[in-house]
């Protein structure tokens, strides 16, 4: 394993055919407040790299930790030994804890390799590991509720707006809708103007709106896209959107737009069936018929075994994370 600088990392891994949104330059810089000193840029070797990652350096409760949100890698000839060797070497870097949260599709080769490297599932899971892939090269199928709401939306004179070069007003409108939504749901905000601005300067991310008949923006989504794959990242709708089924109209037009522009798969992201309020989001997303997919999800390694239960308690009680 080799530690390299930021520019070298993105230069020698740009040809990789697996690049999750969480390993793009804009995402990691947004998450680290544009401070590269909070990041490690790692590859298995610089001469012929097959796998690499950007790791977030975290210091909490006197512990030095790494958070890794998936990896960049080659898809061809991917083997468990690639993962095993990479993470065995990563363990030697002197950190107290290494936590992985991967949005990449589940792979048995990945699980074999990560377990052989000494990693286990954490005591509790705090991220959703189920998603749905909508195949855009075939007819998109909706359930009865979606069909009814799409017919309803057609009567309100809605407009699908594509933002190719966002300006400050676009970001402010997105944040206004997002903050209105999280206020209704009574959950904390997770990003700022600068976070969204950092994402949208990249070609990997794109912003869309729905406007009502009077031209007011009432629903929005930011997606991630690379080659023939795209996925939802953040979506929000205002109070006016519910009465005219704007969210249904947004996804329908978005999928048509992506299909026309060479995207073959759209990742609905984070399907969380449950017995509480999040089930309504699941029902909404599940109304577009796709292929259920599990992701690699959460894995962890701790220098001392007592950190395993302690980290669970810290996440649950101190950092107020929601177990899923």
């Amino acid at each position: 394993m080799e530690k390299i600088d930021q520019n070298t990392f993105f230069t020698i891994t740009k040809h990789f055919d697996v690049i999750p949104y969480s390993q793009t330059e804009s995402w990691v810089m947004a998450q680290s407040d544009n401070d590269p000193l909070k990041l490690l840029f790692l590859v298995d070797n610089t001469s012929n790299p097959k796998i690499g990652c950007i790791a977030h350096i975290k210091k909490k409760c006197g512990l030095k930790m790494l958070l890794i949100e998936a990896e960049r890698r080659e898809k061809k000839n991917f083997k468990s030994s690639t993962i095993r060797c990479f993470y065995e070497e990563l363990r030697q870097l002197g950190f107290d804890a290494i936590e992985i949260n991967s949005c990449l599709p589940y792979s048995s080769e990945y699980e074999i390799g990560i377990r052989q490297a000494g990693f286990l599932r954490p005591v509790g899971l705090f991220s959703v590991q189920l998603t749905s892939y909508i195949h855009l090269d075939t007819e998109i199928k909706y359930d009865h509720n979606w069909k009814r709401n799409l017919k309803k939306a057609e009567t309100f004179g809605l407009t699908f707006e594509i933002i190719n070069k966002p300006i400050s007003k676009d970001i402010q409108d997105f944040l206004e809708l997002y903050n209105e939504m999280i206020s209704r749901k009574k959950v904390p905000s997770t990003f700022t103007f600068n976070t969204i601005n950092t994402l949208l300067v990249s070609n990997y991310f794109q912003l869309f709106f729905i406007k009502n008949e009077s031209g007011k923006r009432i629903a929005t989504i930011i997606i991630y896209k690379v080659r023939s794959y795209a996925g939802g990242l953040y979506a929000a709708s205002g109070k006016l959107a519910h009465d005219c089924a704007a969210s249904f109209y947004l996804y329908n037009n978005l999928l048509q737009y992506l299909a026309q522009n060479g995207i073959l798969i759209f990742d609905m992201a984070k399907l969380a069936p449950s017995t509480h309020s999040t089930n309504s989001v699941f029902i909404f997303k599940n109304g577009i018929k796709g292929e259920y997919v599990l992701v690699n999800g959460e894995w962890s390694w701790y220098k001392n075994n007592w950190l395993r239960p302690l980290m669970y308690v810290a996440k649950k009680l101190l950092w107020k994370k929601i177990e899923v």
Side-chain angles (χ1 to χ4, degrees):
M1 173 177 288
E2 298 182 42
K3 298 180 189 177
I4 56 179
D5 65 85
Q6 179 179 345
N7 290 335
T8 302
F9 177 86
F10 289 111
T11 298
I12 67 174
T13 65
K14 66 183 179 180
H15 68 279
F16 284 1
D17 46 17
V18 177
I19 303 178
Y21 74 86
S22 53
Q23 289 289 305
T24 60
E25 184 172 12
S26 50
W27 175 264
V28 296
M29 295 312 293
Q31 299 302 307
S32 63
D33 299 320
N34 287 293
D35 184 357
L37 296 179
K38 295 180 180 179
L39 303 168
L40 282 181
F41 299 88
L42 307 166
V43 292
D44 52 350
N45 67 80
T46 53
S47 59
N48 184 29
K50 292 183 175 63
I51 187 171
C53 75
I54 309 157
H56 299 262
I57 302 170
K58 305 285 185 180
K59 295 179 181 180
K60 293 183 178 182
C61 304
L63 299 173
K64 191 177 179 183
M65 303 183 290
L66 282 181
L67 170 63
I68 298 170
E69 297 181 295
E71 307 84 18
R72 287 182 171 219
R73 61 175 172 80
E74 294 281 13
K75 183 182 292 185
K76 186 178 180 181
N77 298 323
F78 174 65
K79 297 179 180 179
S80 61
S81 58
T82 303
I83 290 292
R84 175 178 54 79
C85 293
F86 185 76
Y87 279 102
E88 279 179 341
E89 293 184 29
L90 191 62
R91 287 175 47 187
Q92 307 307 312
L93 296 183
F95 288 86
D96 299 301
I98 303 171
E99 296 200 330
I100 303 166
N101 192 0
S102 173
C103 61
L104 293 174
Y106 174 82
S107 162
S108 56
E109 290 288 329
Y110 187 94
E111 177 157 356
I112 292 168
I114 203 73
R115 286 186 180 277
Q116 289 180 337
F119 286 70
L120 297 172
R121 292 290 188 187
V123 174
L125 298 179
F126 294 88
S127 61
V128 178
Q129 299 189 58
L130 176 66
T131 186
S132 176
Y133 281 5
I134 311 301
H135 294 274
L136 302 182
D137 55 344
T138 61
E139 180 186 359
I140 301 170
K141 296 182 179 180
Y142 300 103
D143 69 11
H144 176 73
N145 182 54
W146 267 79
K147 291 176 181 177
R148 179 175 58 83
N149 276 285
L150 288 174
K151 286 183 180 179
K152 176 182 176 181
E154 292 292 344
T155 67
F156 283 89
L158 302 177
T159 304
F160 178 62
E161 184 180 11
I162 303 162
I163 307 298
N164 290 314
K165 294 183 178 180
I167 59 175
S168 293
K169 177 66 164 57
D170 299 322
I171 299 172
Q172 289 164 354
D173 286 351
F174 171 85
L175 288 172
E176 182 178 333
L177 287 168
Y178 193 84
N179 289 334
E180 179 186 337
M181 181 187 71
I182 65 172
S183 177
R184 291 197 310 269
K185 296 184 176 182
K186 298 180 181 179
V187 295
S189 178
T190 56
F191 45 71
T192 64
F193 179 95
N194 288 337
T195 305
I196 301 303
N197 186 57
T198 301
L199 291 180
L200 293 178
V201 296
S202 164
N203 290 330
Y204 284 118
F205 299 90
Q206 190 170 8
L207 175 63
F208 303 85
F209 288 102
I210 294 298
K211 296 191 293 187
N212 65 12
E213 204 166 19
S214 63
K216 181 177 178 58
R217 288 168 166 172
I218 60 174
T220 185
I221 190 170
I222 293 175
I223 68 164
Y224 161 72
K225 52 188 174 64
V226 59
R227 301 186 181 94
S228 62
Y229 168 92
L233 190 63
Y234 302 122
S237 57
K239 186 178 179 181
L240 295 174
H242 178 75
D243 293 336
C244 59
S247 294
F248 296 88
Y249 188 84
L250 171 59
Y251 273 89
N252 182 54
N253 280 270
L254 173 64
L255 296 180
Q256 292 181 35
Y257 168 79
L258 294 175
Q260 292 166 4
N261 285 273
I263 300 296
L264 300 179
I265 292 176
F266 183 79
D267 184 349
M268 291 298 289
K270 299 179 181 178
L271 267 64
S274 69
T275 58
H276 44 80
S277 59
T278 59
N279 198 56
S280 62
V281 180
F282 167 75
I283 291 172
F284 172 79
K285 290 185 174 183
N286 198 47
I288 310 176
K289 298 306 177 182
E291 173 195 1
Y292 293 129
V293 175
L294 291 174
V295 299
N296 286 323
E298 298 179 55
W299 295 91
S300 60
W301 171 85
Y302 301 108
K303 189 174 182 179
N304 297 298
N305 287 335
W306 55 265
L307 282 172
R308 278 177 56 78
L310 185 64
M311 285 299 293
Y312 172 76
V313 173
K315 290 175 184 178
K316 186 104 173 171
L317 300 182
L318 295 181
W319 305 327
K320 305 298 182 184
K321 292 192 173 185
I322 299 173
E323 197 169 4
V324 297

